[in-house]
Structures are given as C-alpha cells and as structure tokens.
Amino acid sequence: MSGWTSAEKQLITAATALAPSVHNTRPWVLEFHDEHISLYERLDRALPHHDPVGRDRLISCGAALEHVLLAARFLGRVVDIDPRHDRAHPDEVVRVTATGRAEPSDGDRRRYRAISARRSHRGEFAARPVERDLRRELLGGHDVDGVGLRPVTEPGEVAVLARLLNHSALVLRADRAYQRELAAWTAPVRDPSPGAGVSSATRRVATLPWAGLVRPTTAIPDVGFLADRLSRELLLLVQTPDDGRYDHVRAGMAAERTWLTATDAGLVGSVLTQPCQLHEVRAGLVESLSLAGFPQLLLRLGHP
C-alpha cells in the first residue's frame, strides 16, 4: 500500500480530534507512517485523582481509535488493528495498518457523518422511550470482540444503580483533590477546543443524573427520586471479560461506535465513567447485577 496522502492525514486527524475523552483532555497523539498509523496515549495528560490507573485515558484512546478506523474506511481504506505491547514504547497503544482498498459500508458512512453531530447531552431526555427496534440495533451493532453491552432496565437493577451513583456522587463531591483537578480542567468558555478541558456550561447542570461531573454544588437527589429519573432513560453498561490495557481500549471503541449509531438515529447521550473509578461501586455493580465481566462505563441514551 502507498503512504497516506496529506488530505487523508488531515481528514483522519480532524475526525480523531472530535472523539470524546475524559475531561476533554484528548490524551492521544497520532503518528503517520507509510503503511500504518500509530496511536499513542499522552501520559502528560494524566488525571491522578480522577483516573489513577489510566483506565479512562485508555477508554478515551479507544474512542479516538474508533474515529481513526471510521475515517480510514470512509476514505476507502481496508485497515487492520495491531495492539502494541512494546516495552521500548509503552505509550504506543495500537497501530492501524492499511492493507487494501474497498468501498465503505453504508453503516460506516453514516457513523462517520455522525462524528461531527455527536455531543454530550447533559440535560433531561424527552419522555418518549427509545423504540424497541432501535434498542436491538444498539445492543447488537457495536461488533467489538470481547465487549458486552448490558442494559439496565429492571426496576430492581435501576434501584441498585441509583444507590451506587448516589454513593459515588457523595464521595466525589466531598473529595477536595478531585474537585481541584476538575476545576483545573474546566475551560473558561462554553465550547472549548478539543483537549482544552470541559465546558464551563457544565457548572450550570446542577443535579444528578444529568450533571455527569459532580461538583461541590451538585444537588444529589435521594435514591428513590434518582431511580425514577434513571428509569426513563436507556442505560447501557459497557463491560469486558478482563480488566487489562486493551480491554479498556475496546470498551472505548464499543461505546463510541454505539454512541455514533445512536446519534445517526436521532438520539442524544452521555457517558459516565467516574462512578467506576470507585472500587466499591464497581464491585457493587458486579455483585448486584450478576455481571460476567468488569464494568467500564455507563452510556445514557434517549431522545432530545
């Protein structure tokens, strides 16, 4: 295969910049070579209080990787993924190698076009439930090996989730180091550029579950009230069989592919990863929901 053209590099880089990331830190770097693209994680974008083991950073890299793959396929490239485990380059996450050419599928075209439309929705969803056929499409459409999407729909399960989210919110609201780190990564503008931190507008979303990022002023409703709110949403728990480096990457890939499919279908959503940073919350999800793997994040979807 011939190398990447300047136009291809520009399109892939622009698409990757729009991937969601923890605190909008954009913790990755792309490096183009003749036949492959290397994706590196940016260790200088670490969040030691929010993300002490770098799980969310790798989930973010997985979302970025999904954008790289979509953009490459949109350009007519056939690509393979090579996870990296090189001790000489521990920050290299994956290589994307061009192996041929083919027309992109209709699904790839639609998801690629959804990249520019996808946004984190921090408000309440409409009362209209997500249609059954669309739910089935979202649950079965991510096609990332080793990643499962677990809907949380039964009243008892939603009550468990509400209790765990309530606990994590109370812990994070009182964690001064976490709050200082979040404040440092809050941009002074409503629409910060990729990598510049979270929007100042998130400060005005002052109640769960829509706040997403818990601040000292976040209102935390009681568990019953929170469960009632959550019961009106489509809640998908992303889980992996193991909890290693590439499991986190694949979780980010699957979540972003599902989110882009939902965006193409007219839905809006947001991702919650903060609760899974607390050991007791992850353990509670595994035990209470009888999960077969490790919960990595919660994807909230609904009609705007």
Side-chain angles (χ1 to χ4, degrees), residues 166-247:
N166 177 275
H167 168 77
S168 67
L170 290 170
V171 171
L172 294 174
R173 190 173 65 175
D175 188 332
R176 294 184 179 180
Y178 171 88
Q179 292 300 333
R180 285 195 298 270
E181 188 175 76
L182 177 57
W185 276 101
T186 300
V189 296
R190 182 180 181 86
D191 295 309
S193 59
V198 297
S199 169
S200 60
T202 61
R203 290 196 185 100
R204 295 195 289 275
V205 184
T207 186
L208 292 181
W210 309 310
L213 299 170
V214 177
R215 300 180 183 276
T217 56
T218 299
I220 303 175
D222 64 57
V223 173
F225 192 68
L226 179 56
D228 180 64
R229 288 179 171 179
L230 292 171
S231 67
R232 306 171 197 173
E233 306 181 352
L234 175 57
L235 302 168
L236 301 178
L237 195 63
V238 178
Q239 60 176 340
T240 56
D242 293 303
D243 201 27
R245 177 179 172 84
Y246 201 61
D247 293 289

Side-chain angles (χ1 to χ4, degrees), residues 6-277:
S6 296
E8 287 176 329
K9 293 178 182 178
Q10 184 176 5
L11 184 143
I12 292 171
T13 300
T16 308
L18 295 177
S21 60
V22 54
H23 286 13
N24 188 26
T25 54
R26 197 166 63 169
W28 60 76
V29 171
L30 296 183
E31 189 175 278
F32 288 86
H33 300 268
D34 285 345
E35 294 186 356
H36 74 268
I37 304 169
S38 289
L39 187 150
Y40 295 88
E41 60 175 325
R42 287 193 60 171
L43 302 178
D44 62 320
R45 295 290 176 92
L47 299 168
H49 297 291
H50 166 81
D51 187 29
V53 300
R55 182 191 304 125
D56 280 6
R57 187 170 64 247
L58 286 169
I59 289 173
S60 302
C61 287
L65 174 59
E66 182 62 24
H67 283 214
V68 171
L69 298 175
L70 277 174
R73 290 197 290 262
F74 181 78
L75 290 166
R77 297 275 194 162
V78 177
V79 288
D80 286 339
I81 306 172
D82 177 21
R84 305 301 293 171
H85 306 281
D86 187 351
R87 291 186 179 181
H89 303 282
D91 54 343
E92 187 176 15
V93 177
V94 67
R95 289 183 182 178
V96 177
T97 302
T99 60
R101 292 193 178 272
E103 284 295 312
S105 69
D106 181 60
D108 283 338
R109 285 193 179 96
R110 287 161 50 192
R111 281 189 290 271
Y112 171 78
R113 292 176 181 136
I115 285 175
S116 60
R118 185 209 55 78
R119 297 287 188 279
S120 291
H121 181 82
R122 297 299 184 191
E124 186 176 2
F125 296 132
R128 172 187 168 194
V130 176
E131 295 77 1
R132 185 174 302 175
D133 288 346
L134 181 52
R135 285 181 180 234
R136 282 198 292 265
E137 180 184 355
L138 294 172
L139 285 170
H142 70 77
D143 193 30
V144 177
D145 289 342
V147 181
L149 295 183
R150 168 68 153 78
V152 182
T153 55
E154 297 298 324
E157 295 178 346
V158 174
V160 166
L161 180 62
R163 175 172 55 81
L164 293 172
L165 291 182
N166 177 275
H167 168 77
S168 67
L170 290 170
V171 171
L172 294 174
R173 190 173 65 175
D175 188 332
R176 294 184 179 180
Y178 171 88
Q179 292 300 333
R180 285 195 298 270
E181 188 175 76
L182 177 57
W185 276 101
T186 300
V189 296
R190 182 180 181 86
D191 295 309
S193 59
V198 297
S199 169
S200 60
T202 61
R203 290 196 185 100
R204 295 195 289 275
V205 184
T207 186
L208 292 181
W210 309 310
L213 299 170
V214 177
R215 300 180 183 276
T217 56
T218 299
I220 303 175
D222 64 57
V223 173
F225 192 68
L226 179 56
D228 180 64
R229 288 179 171 179
L230 292 171
S231 67
R232 306 171 197 173
E233 306 181 352
L234 175 57
L235 302 168
L236 301 178
L237 195 63
V238 178
Q239 60 176 340
T240 56
D242 293 303
D243 201 27
R245 177 179 172 84
Y246 201 61
D247 293 289
H248 304 153
V249 173
R250 288 187 297 177
M253 292 174 64
E256 182 61 2
R257 193 173 303 182
T258 303
W259 197 353
L260 291 173
T261 301
T263 300
D264 175 67
L267 301 181
V268 292
S270 63
V271 164
L272 296 180
T273 62
Q274 298 93 332
C276 290
Q277 293 292 348

